[in-house]
């Protein structure tokens, strides 16, 4: 389920400034004991206390005198559309707040709190437990009972104390995971918030701050502000130094382009990359399709790269999607195939989009686009091609290519959120080898005859001999519905083994990879699916109003990635509590031994293009 894009409608300003307490039936009275004890950072008469914006420690007694419990609405809204609109409005405010924290613009943060805000500061707690995690990471669990009680200046001061001296702050997230709102005015609600901060501390170590909180927010002047925040969990994870260093710019592969949504960049089709040794020197080179032109980064002996796409003949045509290096013509060097979104015009002056391109390597790392018979009829089929997967499905020694073809967004959107069937046909490009004179004969599309053409919104695929019969099988991840495991019969055709092997895995399939994840010698399966916080919030509110079977299905669509271990009869889904699946807006996964301990780890790309604000997708 995609992230909801509901935006806050025109809202009336709140009629009253709500107090931060939880006394009284509508949670609008001052906090218990607030007349006896002023919030941290203020004198009893309300004037600012000395000491800057860091609040003094009020001691353990203050947690008793000032009640930080955040009561739930006594008359909660039940209309899902209203509640989710308000949830998104509050979530967007917190994401904008998170962005300012990431930039460490501390002086601008107080506007996100009411004047009488009271809550737990994030700094200065004692540690209840420590644990040594893999990769030299130390985890510390904080004692929430020792958290300082602070006003808004004190809360901002606690953020400054925690991350103000860091060398860099990579990401900050105050994310709304649950929300309830009171009927009537003034508008207020109770939020469940997940906290996440990642960066390099003053000593250069990698530090993560994570936790959970509940907050009361109220709307005034059309904007939600925090009145009260109570921490329910906080921990840190620290490693003396990051395992990896970002060398994109010094290595020579950095490239920036116009922000998405501008006149120069208004399409999301161009994605993917391919790695291969194009010049036979033993080093891996990198091809990146892009808008305007493509890039070919050729590796040098000193670890840097030289961009040589134009020189080597692959800078145009642009607008490619998935790309693939392989020796298609059996002459001992790496050729390049580049997918294209075939039906939709790439530029305004085009009469139609490009077809899949094949660039043949001359042996020195220079390419010439295959034409005529060297392409074969298969490369003239108009696929909405997103991903190319190499496999020798017919066992003739020549590499074939499966084409994941998506839907035609410029014509119509998906016809279902749970089982869309108006996607474009996938391709299975069979390599035709060479003629009697040794001339390469390109490819032909045999997807229909092989039984794998389909009608889904296919995004990515992975090939492996799943049933260990000597024939390569194919798993296809589909958006908006069920995935397919095509079992190779060995006669050039496939049968659907998704249900029989237990990997139907309905969801928003974006990527797949086979690998032995549990070290038992059998191939397991990792599937990336988009997860949706908004979707889970909405489904939580609709549980009693939807058929249980449909509700469970929709929950699966919003649940995120899937891991399947190979068993005796097929695959078994790994429980979510085992971890490894929370990648949010997930794309392609890669399985490799990150820490060199002999076990496969998982890297999953995630995220989406954004405007100036982090929620502007």
């Amino acid at each position: 389920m995609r992230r909801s894009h509901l935006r806050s409608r025109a809202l009336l300003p709140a009629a009253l400034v709500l107090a931060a307490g939880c006394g009284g039936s509508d949670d609008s009275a001052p906090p218990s004991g607030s007349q006896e004890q002023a919030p941290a950072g203020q004198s009893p008469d309300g004037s600012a206390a000395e000491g800057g914006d860091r609040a003094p420690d009020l001691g353990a007694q203050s947690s008793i005198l000032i009640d930080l419990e955040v009561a739930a609405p006594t008359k909660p809204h039940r209309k899902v559309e209203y509640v989710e609109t308000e949830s998104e409005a509050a979530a967007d405010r917190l994401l904008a707040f998170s962005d300012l924290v990431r930039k460490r613009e501390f002086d601008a943060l107080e506007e996100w709190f009411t004047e009488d805000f009271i809550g737990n500061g994030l700094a200065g707690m004692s540690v209840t437990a420590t644990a040594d995690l893999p990769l030299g990471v130390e985890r510390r669990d904080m004692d929430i009972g020792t958290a300082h009680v602070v006003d808004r200046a004190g809360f901002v001061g606690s953020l400054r104390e925690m991350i103000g001296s860091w060398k860099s702050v990579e990401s900050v997230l105050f994310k709304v995971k649950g929300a309830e709102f009171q009927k009537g005015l003034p508008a207020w609600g109770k939020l469940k918030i997940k906290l996440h901060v990642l960066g390099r501390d003053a000593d250069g170590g990698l530090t993560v701050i994570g936790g959970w909180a509940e907050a009361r927010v109220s709307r005034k002047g059309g904007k939600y502000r925090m009145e009260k925040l109570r921490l329910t969990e906080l921990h840190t994870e620290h490693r003396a130094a990051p395992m990896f260093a970002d060398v994109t710019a010094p290595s020579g592969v950095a490239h920036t382009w116009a922000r998405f949504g501008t006149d120069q960049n208004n399409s999301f089709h161009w994605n993917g990359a391919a790695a291969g040794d194009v010049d036979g020197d033993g080093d891996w080179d990198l091809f990146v399709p892009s808008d305007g032109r493509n890039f070919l980064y050729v590796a040098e002996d000193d670890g840097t790269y030289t961009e040589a796409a134009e020189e080597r003949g692959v800078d145009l045509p642009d607008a490619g999607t998935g790309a693939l290096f392989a020796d298609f013509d059996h002459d001992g060097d790496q050729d390049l195939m580049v997918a294209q979104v075939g039906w939709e015009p790439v530029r305004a002056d085009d009469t139609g989009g490009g077809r899949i391109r094949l660039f043949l390597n001359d042996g020195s790392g220079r390419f010439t686009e295959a034409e005529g018979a060297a392409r074969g009829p298969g490369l003239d089929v108009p696929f909405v091609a997103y991903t190319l997967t190499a496999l020798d499905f017919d066992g003739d020694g020549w590499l074939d290519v499966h084409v994941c073809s998506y839907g035609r967004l410029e014509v119509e959107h998906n016809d279902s959120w749970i089982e869309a069937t108006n996607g474009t046909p996938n391709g299975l490009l069979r390599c035709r080898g060479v003629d009697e004179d040794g001339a390469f004969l390109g490819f032909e599309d045999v997807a229909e005859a092989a039984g794998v053409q389909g009608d889904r919104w296919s995004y990515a695929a992975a090939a492996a001999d799943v049933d260990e019969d000597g024939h390569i099988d194919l798993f296809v991840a589909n958006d908006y519905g069920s995935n397919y495991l095509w079992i190779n019969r060995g006669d050039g055709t496939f049968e659907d083994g998704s249900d029989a092997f237990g990997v139907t895995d309905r969801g928003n399939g974006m990527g797949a990879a086979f690998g032995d994840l549990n070290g038992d010698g059998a191939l397991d399966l990792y599937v990336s699916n988009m997860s949706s916080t908004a979707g889970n919030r909405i489904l939580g509110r609709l549980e009693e109003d939807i058929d249980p079977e449909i509700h469970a299905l929709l929950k699966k669509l919003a649940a995120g990635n899937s891991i399947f271990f190979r068993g005796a009869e097929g695959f078994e889904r790994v429980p979510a509590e085992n971890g490894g699946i929370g990648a949010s807006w997930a794309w392609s996964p890669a399985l490799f031994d990150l820490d060199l301990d002999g076990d496969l780890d998982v890297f999953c790309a995630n995220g989406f293009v954004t405007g100036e604000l982090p929620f502007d997708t």
Side-chain angles (χ1 to χ4, degrees), residues 59-339:
Q61 188 180 15
S62 65
S63 297
I64 300 174
L65 295 176
I66 301 178
D67 189 355
L68 288 182
E69 287 293 329
V70 181
T74 56
K75 298 179 180 179
H77 271 281
R78 300 298 184 189
K79 189 176 182 180
V80 173
E81 182 179 356
Y82 174 87
V83 175
E84 188 55 28
T85 297
E86 299 303 291
S87 298
E88 284 291 285
D92 285 351
R93 283 282 289 170
L94 281 178
L95 287 174
F97 175 82
S98 302
D99 198 44
L100 288 176
V101 176
R102 180 185 62 83
K103 297 174 183 177
R104 290 184 278 191
E105 296 181 7
F106 299 113
D107 292 341
L109 294 177
E110 289 195 17
E111 191 265 329
W112 266 258
F113 302 86
T114 60
E115 293 181 359
D116 56 354
F117 168 83
I118 190 170
N120 288 136
L122 301 183
M125 281 170 270
S126 61
V127 177
T128 60
T130 62
D132 292 329
L133 303 181
L135 304 179
V137 176
E138 181 188 51
R139 176 183 170 112
R140 294 184 175 186
D141 294 320
M142 302 302 170
D143 182 359
I144 300 300
T146 64
H148 298 188
V149 178
V150 297
D151 62 1
R152 64 179 182 179
F155 187 85
V156 174
S158 73
L159 286 170
R160 189 192 299 271
E161 179 179 351
M162 292 195 78
I163 65 174
S165 63
W166 284 13
K167 291 184 180 295
S168 64
V169 181
E170 304 298 331
S171 66
V172 176
L173 188 63
F174 284 65
K175 190 174 184 65
V176 175
K177 305 295 283 188
E180 300 175 89
F181 293 89
Q182 178 81 352
K183 283 185 177 180
L185 294 176
W188 66 272
K190 177 181 179 179
L191 307 181
K192 181 180 181 181
I193 300 173
K194 182 179 182 180
L195 312 177
H196 176 83
V197 181
L198 168 67
R200 298 186 65 176
D201 61 26
D203 296 323
L206 190 66
T207 298
V208 174
I209 302 169
W212 292 86
E214 55 185 26
R216 172 168 165 145
V217 295
S218 60
R219 179 160 42 81
K220 182 179 182 181
K223 297 179 180 180
Y224 275 106
R225 291 176 171 84
M226 279 189 283
E227 290 188 4
K228 183 188 290 189
L229 184 138
R230 184 178 75 90
L231 289 172
T232 58
E233 175 192 333
L234 195 73
H235 66 270
T236 64
E237 294 177 358
H238 177 266
R239 191 176 190 274
M243 290 187 63
F244 294 92
D246 183 1
V247 296
T248 307
S251 66
V253 299
H255 173 72
T256 57
W257 186 234
R259 181 183 292 277
F260 175 78
T262 63
D263 292 340
Q264 295 83 15
N265 182 6
N266 57 13
S267 175
F268 61 87
H269 287 314
W270 303 292
N271 58 80
D277 181 8
V278 302
D279 51 8
D281 65 354
D283 296 324
W284 285 87
D285 310 303
L286 182 65
F287 174 81
V288 181
S290 188
D291 186 8
R293 57 157 298 174
N294 306 316
F295 299 86
L296 178 63
Y297 299 101
V298 179
E300 305 292 349
D301 292 337
D302 61 358
T304 64
Y305 293 81
T306 299
E307 203 291 301
E310 182 177 4
E311 172 190 343
R312 295 176 181 266
V314 293
D315 60 320
L316 294 172
D318 64 338
T321 49
L324 182 65
F325 279 118
D327 185 9
F328 294 113
D329 58 3
H330 276 202
D331 66 352
D333 52 40
Q334 296 285 289
D335 308 307
L336 174 66
M337 187 178 289
V338 183

Side-chain angles (χ1 to χ4, degrees), residues 446-495:
V446 297
E448 183 176 10
V452 297
Q453 195 172 55
D455 55 6
R456 305 307 171 104
W457 292 62
S458 298
Y459 205 94
D465 184 5
V466 172
D467 55 0
E468 299 179 346
D469 65 351
H471 306 298
I472 301 298
D473 310 303
L474 187 69
F475 181 86
V476 180
N478 298 313
D479 206 357
Y480 313 122
S482 301
N483 298 323
Y484 281 137
L485 175 60
W486 297 111
I487 298 299
N488 194 332
R489 293 190 178 104
D491 60 0
T493 66
F494 294 77
E495 61 181 336

Side-chain angles (χ1 to χ4, degrees), residues 356-378:
I356 293 176
R357 308 285 180 163
L358 174 63
F359 298 92
L360 298 177
N361 195 327
D362 69 358
S364 69
R366 286 171 171 78
F367 296 84
T368 302
E369 185 171 359
E371 297 180 348
R375 286 174 53 84

